[in-house]
Amino acid sequence: MDYMVVYSSQTGNTKKIATEIFSALPGMSKDMQSMGEYRGKDADIFFIGFWVNRGTCDISVIEMMSELHGKKIALFGTCGMGRDDAYFKSIEQKVNVWVPDDCEYLGTFLCQGKMPMQVRGNYEIPMEDPRQEAWRKKMLNNFDEGLFHPNEEDLGRAREFVEQVLRQIEM
């Protein structure tokens, strides 16, 4: 099997996960490139990484996936929001629709990643409405937790995802 890991990363979070996925893939027939470097190199199985912006992937990922046909595709990504399974599921649903119909979708791995410090400033101004204030505090806590991600647990889960995908294609 030939593997290709292609990723889009704004802050380095997704690149960190891409590197872990690449190292977990067996054999020597594998490559890893950023979305900007990728020039259509072929492979049997693609691991495609993205950073989450407003609940979905960026356009470069959509464009790249639209050019793949007859391939096996596994997705991975990082987002500022923490371990919220419902949110992760909604991201997966918004991104996997871009996998071409003639490709085999193998699943998605998502984890939290740190956000730029200027994002924290958006949540630092207290709000008068108690519901908005509770939301603001939740967002601050989430931001602060994200400073420690992707962490070793996230990297371990990325390796487990690779193992799960490999078992799936062996069936």
mmCIF file of all heavy atoms in Angstrom, residues 48 61-62 65-66 68-69 71-75 92 94-108:
data_model
loop_
_atom_site.group_PDB
_atom_site.id
_atom_site.type_symbol
_atom_site.label_atom_id
_atom_site.label_comp_id
_atom_site.label_asym_id
_atom_site.label_seq_id
_atom_site.Cartn_x
_atom_site.Cartn_y
_atom_site.Cartn_z
ATOM 1 N N ILE A 48 -5.953 12.948 5.081
ATOM 2 C CA ILE A 48 -6.067 14.360 4.750
ATOM 3 C C ILE A 48 -6.411 15.148 6.009
ATOM 4 O O ILE A 48 -7.437 14.899 6.648
ATOM 5 C CB ILE A 48 -7.128 14.587 3.660
ATOM 6 C CG1 ILE A 48 -6.750 13.781 2.408
ATOM 7 C CG2 ILE A 48 -7.263 16.073 3.342
ATOM 8 C CD1 ILE A 48 -7.811 13.753 1.335
ATOM 9 N N VAL A 61 -8.600 22.134 1.244
ATOM 10 C CA VAL A 61 -8.868 20.718 1.511
ATOM 11 C C VAL A 61 -10.002 20.233 0.609
ATOM 12 O O VAL A 61 -9.929 19.146 0.022
ATOM 13 C CB VAL A 61 -9.190 20.499 3.007
ATOM 14 C CG1 VAL A 61 -9.627 19.076 3.277
ATOM 15 C CG2 VAL A 61 -7.977 20.869 3.858
ATOM 16 N N ILE A 62 -11.034 21.046 0.480
ATOM 17 C CA ILE A 62 -12.164 20.689 -0.387
ATOM 18 C C ILE A 62 -11.691 20.526 -1.830
ATOM 19 O O ILE A 62 -12.027 19.546 -2.499
ATOM 20 C CB ILE A 62 -13.274 21.760 -0.287
ATOM 21 C CG1 ILE A 62 -13.864 21.776 1.131
ATOM 22 C CG2 ILE A 62 -14.362 21.525 -1.346
ATOM 23 C CD1 ILE A 62 -14.767 22.953 1.423
ATOM 24 N N MET A 65 -9.537 17.295 -2.201
ATOM 25 C CA MET A 65 -10.333 16.065 -2.165
ATOM 26 C C MET A 65 -11.141 15.894 -3.444
ATOM 27 O O MET A 65 -11.325 14.767 -3.908
ATOM 28 C CB MET A 65 -11.262 16.056 -0.951
ATOM 29 C CG MET A 65 -10.580 15.631 0.317
ATOM 30 S SD MET A 65 -11.725 15.175 1.636
ATOM 31 C CE MET A 65 -12.437 16.745 2.071
ATOM 32 N N SER A 66 -11.630 16.981 -4.013
ATOM 33 C CA SER A 66 -12.469 16.884 -5.213
ATOM 34 C C SER A 66 -11.700 16.317 -6.403
ATOM 35 O O SER A 66 -12.313 15.834 -7.358
ATOM 36 C CB SER A 66 -13.061 18.252 -5.565
ATOM 37 O OG SER A 66 -12.064 19.118 -6.064
ATOM 38 N N LEU A 68 -9.540 13.773 -6.124
ATOM 39 C CA LEU A 68 -9.218 12.363 -5.868
ATOM 40 C C LEU A 68 -10.377 11.481 -6.335
ATOM 41 O O LEU A 68 -11.533 11.778 -6.067
ATOM 42 C CB LEU A 68 -8.972 12.135 -4.377
ATOM 43 C CG LEU A 68 -7.792 12.880 -3.764
ATOM 44 C CD1 LEU A 68 -7.726 12.602 -2.274
ATOM 45 C CD2 LEU A 68 -6.490 12.502 -4.443
ATOM 46 N N HIS A 69 -10.041 10.387 -6.993
ATOM 47 C CA HIS A 69 -11.081 9.466 -7.458
ATOM 48 C C HIS A 69 -10.594 8.035 -7.282
ATOM 49 O O HIS A 69 -9.437 7.724 -7.556
ATOM 50 C CB HIS A 69 -11.441 9.747 -8.917
ATOM 51 C CG HIS A 69 -12.037 11.109 -9.086
ATOM 52 N ND1 HIS A 69 -13.322 11.407 -8.693
ATOM 53 C CD2 HIS A 69 -11.509 12.262 -9.550
ATOM 54 C CE1 HIS A 69 -13.564 12.686 -8.929
ATOM 55 N NE2 HIS A 69 -12.471 13.233 -9.448
ATOM 56 N N LYS A 71 -10.036 6.447 -4.527
ATOM 57 C CA LYS A 71 -9.044 6.320 -3.446
ATOM 58 C C LYS A 71 -9.724 6.006 -2.119
ATOM 59 O O LYS A 71 -10.924 6.174 -1.947
ATOM 60 C CB LYS A 71 -8.247 7.624 -3.294
ATOM 61 C CG LYS A 71 -7.560 8.077 -4.557
ATOM 62 C CD LYS A 71 -6.547 7.058 -5.035
ATOM 63 C CE LYS A 71 -5.901 7.501 -6.337
ATOM 64 N NZ LYS A 71 -5.022 6.479 -6.864
ATOM 65 N N LYS A 72 -8.941 5.579 -1.176
ATOM 66 C CA LYS A 72 -9.380 5.423 0.209
ATOM 67 C C LYS A 72 -8.941 6.683 0.950
ATOM 68 O O LYS A 72 -7.777 7.082 0.834
ATOM 69 C CB LYS A 72 -8.755 4.173 0.826
ATOM 70 C CG LYS A 72 -9.198 2.873 0.155
ATOM 71 C CD LYS A 72 -8.488 1.702 0.787
ATOM 72 C CE LYS A 72 -8.701 0.387 0.100
ATOM 73 N NZ LYS A 72 -9.980 0.014 -0.349
ATOM 74 N N ILE A 73 -9.885 7.294 1.682
ATOM 75 C CA ILE A 73 -9.602 8.575 2.321
ATOM 76 C C ILE A 73 -9.970 8.539 3.798
ATOM 77 O O ILE A 73 -11.101 8.221 4.166
ATOM 78 C CB ILE A 73 -10.372 9.719 1.623
ATOM 79 C CG1 ILE A 73 -9.923 9.850 0.173
ATOM 80 C CG2 ILE A 73 -10.189 11.033 2.383
ATOM 81 C CD1 ILE A 73 -10.707 10.868 -0.632
ATOM 82 N N ALA A 74 -8.992 8.893 4.639
ATOM 83 C CA ALA A 74 -9.206 9.088 6.067
ATOM 84 C C ALA A 74 -8.937 10.563 6.364
ATOM 85 O O ALA A 74 -7.984 11.146 5.838
ATOM 86 C CB ALA A 74 -8.263 8.202 6.880
ATOM 87 N N LEU A 75 -9.771 11.152 7.187
ATOM 88 C CA LEU A 75 -9.643 12.571 7.516
ATOM 89 C C LEU A 75 -9.158 12.743 8.952
ATOM 90 O O LEU A 75 -9.438 11.909 9.808
ATOM 91 C CB LEU A 75 -10.995 13.268 7.352
ATOM 92 C CG LEU A 75 -11.645 13.174 5.974
ATOM 93 C CD1 LEU A 75 -13.063 13.742 6.018
ATOM 94 C CD2 LEU A 75 -10.807 13.890 4.940
ATOM 95 N N GLU A 92 -17.240 16.423 11.388
ATOM 96 C CA GLU A 92 -17.047 15.270 10.502
ATOM 97 C C GLU A 92 -18.104 15.257 9.397
ATOM 98 O O GLU A 92 -17.782 15.063 8.222
ATOM 99 C CB GLU A 92 -17.105 13.967 11.295
ATOM 100 C CG GLU A 92 -16.977 12.735 10.427
ATOM 101 C CD GLU A 92 -17.074 11.432 11.197
ATOM 102 O OE1 GLU A 92 -17.452 11.435 12.384
ATOM 103 O OE2 GLU A 92 -16.779 10.390 10.585
ATOM 104 N N LYS A 94 -19.794 17.752 8.167
ATOM 105 C CA LYS A 94 -19.623 18.869 7.234
ATOM 106 C C LYS A 94 -18.441 18.659 6.295
ATOM 107 O O LYS A 94 -18.439 19.178 5.180
ATOM 108 C CB LYS A 94 -19.438 20.174 8.007
ATOM 109 C CG LYS A 94 -20.696 20.649 8.684
ATOM 110 C CD LYS A 94 -20.416 21.871 9.533
ATOM 111 C CE LYS A 94 -21.645 22.258 10.330
ATOM 112 N NZ LYS A 94 -21.344 23.283 11.333
ATOM 113 N N VAL A 95 -17.427 17.918 6.744
ATOM 114 C CA VAL A 95 -16.227 17.739 5.931
ATOM 115 C C VAL A 95 -16.316 16.490 5.050
ATOM 116 O O VAL A 95 -15.937 16.530 3.880
ATOM 117 C CB VAL A 95 -14.956 17.705 6.812
ATOM 118 C CG1 VAL A 95 -13.715 17.436 5.979
ATOM 119 C CG2 VAL A 95 -14.809 19.023 7.567
ATOM 120 N N ASN A 96 -16.842 15.394 5.577
ATOM 121 C CA ASN A 96 -16.820 14.162 4.775
ATOM 122 C C ASN A 96 -17.748 14.203 3.571
ATOM 123 O O ASN A 96 -17.642 13.368 2.685
ATOM 124 C CB ASN A 96 -17.026 12.914 5.623
ATOM 125 C CG ASN A 96 -18.440 12.712 6.113
ATOM 126 O OD1 ASN A 96 -19.398 13.296 5.624
ATOM 127 N ND2 ASN A 96 -18.581 11.856 7.112
ATOM 128 N N VAL A 97 -18.649 15.196 3.501
ATOM 129 C CA VAL A 97 -19.492 15.331 2.303
ATOM 130 C C VAL A 97 -18.653 15.678 1.075
ATOM 131 O O VAL A 97 -19.100 15.484 -0.053
ATOM 132 C CB VAL A 97 -20.624 16.379 2.477
ATOM 133 C CG1 VAL A 97 -21.547 16.001 3.612
ATOM 134 C CG2 VAL A 97 -20.068 17.767 2.677
ATOM 135 N N TRP A 98 -17.447 16.176 1.284
ATOM 136 C CA TRP A 98 -16.577 16.557 0.168
ATOM 137 C C TRP A 98 -15.763 15.387 -0.374
ATOM 138 O O TRP A 98 -15.080 15.524 -1.387
ATOM 139 C CB TRP A 98 -15.655 17.707 0.586
ATOM 140 C CG TRP A 98 -16.432 18.908 0.987
ATOM 141 C CD1 TRP A 98 -16.597 19.400 2.249
ATOM 142 C CD2 TRP A 98 -17.191 19.775 0.132
ATOM 143 N NE1 TRP A 98 -17.398 20.517 2.230
ATOM 144 C CE2 TRP A 98 -17.778 20.773 0.941
ATOM 145 C CE3 TRP A 98 -17.430 19.806 -1.242
ATOM 146 C CZ2 TRP A 98 -18.589 21.776 0.428
ATOM 147 C CZ3 TRP A 98 -18.232 20.812 -1.759
ATOM 148 C CH2 TRP A 98 -18.796 21.774 -0.931
ATOM 149 N N VAL A 99 -15.822 14.236 0.306
ATOM 150 C CA VAL A 99 -15.148 13.038 -0.205
ATOM 151 C C VAL A 99 -15.928 12.582 -1.439
ATOM 152 O O VAL A 99 -17.131 12.343 -1.360
ATOM 153 C CB VAL A 99 -15.109 11.922 0.864
ATOM 154 C CG1 VAL A 99 -14.544 10.629 0.279
ATOM 155 C CG2 VAL A 99 -14.304 12.362 2.083
ATOM 156 N N PRO A 100 -15.271 12.474 -2.601
ATOM 157 C CA PRO A 100 -15.983 12.068 -3.819
ATOM 158 C C PRO A 100 -16.689 10.720 -3.656
ATOM 159 O O PRO A 100 -16.217 9.835 -2.932
ATOM 160 C CB PRO A 100 -14.871 11.982 -4.865
ATOM 161 C CG PRO A 100 -13.818 12.938 -4.369
ATOM 162 C CD PRO A 100 -13.861 12.793 -2.868
ATOM 163 N N ASP A 101 -17.808 10.573 -4.331
ATOM 164 C CA ASP A 101 -18.625 9.365 -4.216
ATOM 165 C C ASP A 101 -17.887 8.096 -4.623
ATOM 166 O O ASP A 101 -18.210 7.018 -4.123
ATOM 167 C CB ASP A 101 -19.897 9.499 -5.067
ATOM 168 C CG ASP A 101 -20.857 10.541 -4.499
ATOM 169 O OD1 ASP A 101 -20.759 10.862 -3.295
ATOM 170 O OD2 ASP A 101 -21.703 11.038 -5.275
ATOM 171 N N ASP A 102 -16.907 8.216 -5.519
ATOM 172 C CA ASP A 102 -16.199 7.020 -5.962
ATOM 173 C C ASP A 102 -14.975 6.701 -5.090
ATOM 174 O O ASP A 102 -14.186 5.822 -5.412
ATOM 175 C CB ASP A 102 -15.797 7.127 -7.432
ATOM 176 C CG ASP A 102 -14.819 8.258 -7.711
ATOM 177 O OD1 ASP A 102 -14.701 9.176 -6.873
ATOM 178 O OD2 ASP A 102 -14.170 8.227 -8.779
ATOM 179 N N CYS A 103 -14.853 7.406 -3.984
ATOM 180 C CA CYS A 103 -13.792 7.127 -3.005
ATOM 181 C C CYS A 103 -14.387 6.401 -1.811
ATOM 182 O O CYS A 103 -15.582 6.497 -1.532
ATOM 183 C CB CYS A 103 -13.140 8.427 -2.533
ATOM 184 S SG CYS A 103 -12.129 9.228 -3.797
ATOM 185 N N GLU A 104 -13.544 5.686 -1.079
ATOM 186 C CA GLU A 104 -13.974 5.000 0.131
ATOM 187 C C GLU A 104 -13.568 5.838 1.342
ATOM 188 O O GLU A 104 -12.381 6.072 1.578
ATOM 189 C CB GLU A 104 -13.332 3.618 0.220
ATOM 190 C CG GLU A 104 -13.783 2.828 1.423
ATOM 191 C CD GLU A 104 -13.143 1.455 1.513
ATOM 192 O OE1 GLU A 104 -12.520 1.000 0.526
ATOM 193 O OE2 GLU A 104 -13.259 0.840 2.588
ATOM 194 N N TYR A 105 -14.575 6.287 2.104
ATOM 195 C CA TYR A 105 -14.342 7.091 3.299
ATOM 196 C C TYR A 105 -14.035 6.166 4.470
ATOM 197 O O TYR A 105 -14.795 5.251 4.768
ATOM 198 C CB TYR A 105 -15.572 7.957 3.579
ATOM 199 C CG TYR A 105 -15.547 8.656 4.906
ATOM 200 C CD1 TYR A 105 -14.584 9.606 5.188
ATOM 201 C CD2 TYR A 105 -16.491 8.367 5.886
ATOM 202 C CE1 TYR A 105 -14.554 10.250 6.405
ATOM 203 C CE2 TYR A 105 -16.477 9.012 7.100
ATOM 204 C CZ TYR A 105 -15.504 9.951 7.363
ATOM 205 O OH TYR A 105 -15.481 10.589 8.579
ATOM 206 N N LEU A 106 -12.911 6.411 5.150
ATOM 207 C CA LEU A 106 -12.428 5.521 6.204
ATOM 208 C C LEU A 106 -12.593 6.064 7.621
ATOM 209 O O LEU A 106 -12.194 5.402 8.569
ATOM 210 C CB LEU A 106 -10.947 5.191 5.951
ATOM 211 C CG LEU A 106 -10.639 4.533 4.616
ATOM 212 C CD1 LEU A 106 -9.143 4.451 4.389
ATOM 213 C CD2 LEU A 106 -11.288 3.159 4.531
ATOM 214 N N GLY A 107 -13.135 7.259 7.775
ATOM 215 C CA GLY A 107 -13.350 7.811 9.105
ATOM 216 C C GLY A 107 -12.593 9.106 9.331
ATOM 217 O O GLY A 107 -11.801 9.546 8.487
ATOM 218 N N THR A 108 -12.843 9.695 10.503
ATOM 219 C CA THR A 108 -12.245 10.981 10.861
ATOM 220 C C THR A 108 -11.735 10.952 12.292
ATOM 221 O O THR A 108 -12.407 10.423 13.182
ATOM 222 C CB THR A 108 -13.277 12.123 10.726
ATOM 223 O OG1 THR A 108 -13.714 12.199 9.374
ATOM 224 C CG2 THR A 108 -12.705 13.469 11.136
#
